[in-house]
Amino acid sequence: MEQKMEIYEDLRQILEKAASVQAALALIEWDNETLAPKEAGEQTAKTAGALSGIYYDIMTGPSMDKALKQWKECGEDNESARKADGTFWSIDEIASRMCCETEKERRLLSCVPREEYEEFTKMTNAGGRIWAEARKKKDFSAFAPELERIIEYKKKLASYRRKDGESLYDAMLDEFEENFPEEKLDEFFGTIREELVPFLEEIRTKGRKIDGSFLYGD
């Protein structure tokens, strides 16, 4: 059990390091869109790109690979760890979930060239500042070219991840809705449309006025 806990701790520490890099990226993104001097934008984007490269290396590197393999090889004995409320989590359950999510992230990252992953992070970081300014001035045309670049680059990254016979849209969708491809989504929203559209039309045509005054009180 002692060896197993050591492997678990190694895996947890590697993931904590990756999470710290992600937290730094989030802070940079927030600062870039709010308080950072406009003149710092180019350097900020470069910093974000460099940090994304570090994250890439952590998630796809040999230390992570070793920790994941060791965990799978050490088997299950259903030992437990105490939670804050005094109840217990199974160490196997925790680590198995961690491994599953980590392996998915590694799969999504490892098929994309590192330099292109960094470039995309720089692009979206710079785009965030452009969007913040455009939104403030209510001038979407200032952001439109940047949005087009981001979408095209996103498609390029998805093309690396696309499996044989899979559509580009499904490859992108799998990042956020795993095992829920376009075909299933069409069926899902089709069912909603059949019920919801007539219902909304009924509400519109009946003309009943709803008292919404409570929304505007103190």
Side-chain angles (χ1 to χ4, degrees), residues 115-133:
E115 61 274 13
E116 293 194 26
Y117 181 72
E118 284 190 32
E119 183 61 31
F120 182 69
T121 303
K122 288 166 60 178
M123 184 186 301
T124 51
N125 185 274
R129 174 181 288 276
I130 296 170
W131 163 242
E133 287 294 317

Side-chain angles (χ1 to χ4, degrees), residues 5 8 79-83 86-91 94:
M5 289 301 296
Y8 170 76
E79 293 294 337
S80 300
R82 186 180 294 274
K83 295 192 287 186
T87 57
F88 289 86
W89 284 102
S90 161
I91 293 297
I94 296 169

Side-chain angles (χ1 to χ4, degrees), residues 62-207:
S63 294
M64 180 68 83
D65 185 57
K66 179 182 177 182
L68 289 172
K69 286 180 178 177
Q70 285 182 330
W71 178 262
K72 288 181 178 180
E73 290 169 358
C74 68
E76 298 186 4
D77 51 22
N78 295 317
E79 293 294 337
S80 300
R82 186 180 294 274
K83 295 192 287 186
D85 63 2
T87 57
F88 289 86
W89 284 102
S90 161
I91 293 297
D92 292 307
E93 186 179 27
I94 296 169
S96 294
R97 194 70 216 155
M98 287 167 59
C99 289
C100 180
E101 294 300 317
T102 300
E103 286 179 333
K104 178 186 176 181
E105 180 71 355
R106 279 166 58 85
R107 174 175 60 82
L108 293 173
L109 285 171
S110 60
C111 55
V112 174
R114 183 184 189 275
E115 61 274 13
E116 293 194 26
Y117 181 72
E118 284 190 32
E119 183 61 31
F120 182 69
T121 303
K122 288 166 60 178
M123 184 186 301
T124 51
N125 185 274
R129 174 181 288 276
I130 296 170
W131 163 242
E133 287 294 317
R135 182 177 56 189
K136 184 178 179 181
K137 297 176 181 178
K138 297 182 178 180
D139 180 16
F140 176 73
S141 63
F143 178 63
E146 194 66 20
L147 177 60
E148 186 174 0
R149 286 181 63 219
I150 291 171
I151 290 173
E152 288 305 313
Y153 212 99
K154 188 71 175 176
K155 289 179 180 178
K156 182 181 181 182
L157 296 184
S159 69
Y160 291 118
R161 297 165 174 162
R162 180 169 52 180
K163 304 180 185 76
D164 289 342
E166 184 180 42
S167 71
L168 195 60
Y169 184 78
D170 279 344
M172 291 188 283
L173 190 61
D174 192 56
E175 286 187 57
F176 309 100
E177 297 290 349
E178 192 173 8
N179 300 319
F180 210 149
E182 185 179 3
E183 182 181 356
K184 287 186 179 180
L185 281 177
D186 286 344
E187 181 182 347
F188 172 75
F189 285 114
T191 302
I192 290 178
R193 187 182 300 111
E194 288 177 8
E195 300 291 335
L196 191 59
V197 172
F199 177 62
L200 292 175
E201 183 63 18
E202 181 183 347
I203 293 172
R204 188 184 68 80
T205 54
K206 279 191 174 181

Side-chain angles (χ1 to χ4, degrees), residues 23-38:
L25 281 165
L27 286 172
I28 287 174
E29 181 180 356
W30 175 82
D31 189 43
N32 191 40
E33 295 182 20
T34 54
L35 302 174
K38 185 177 180 180

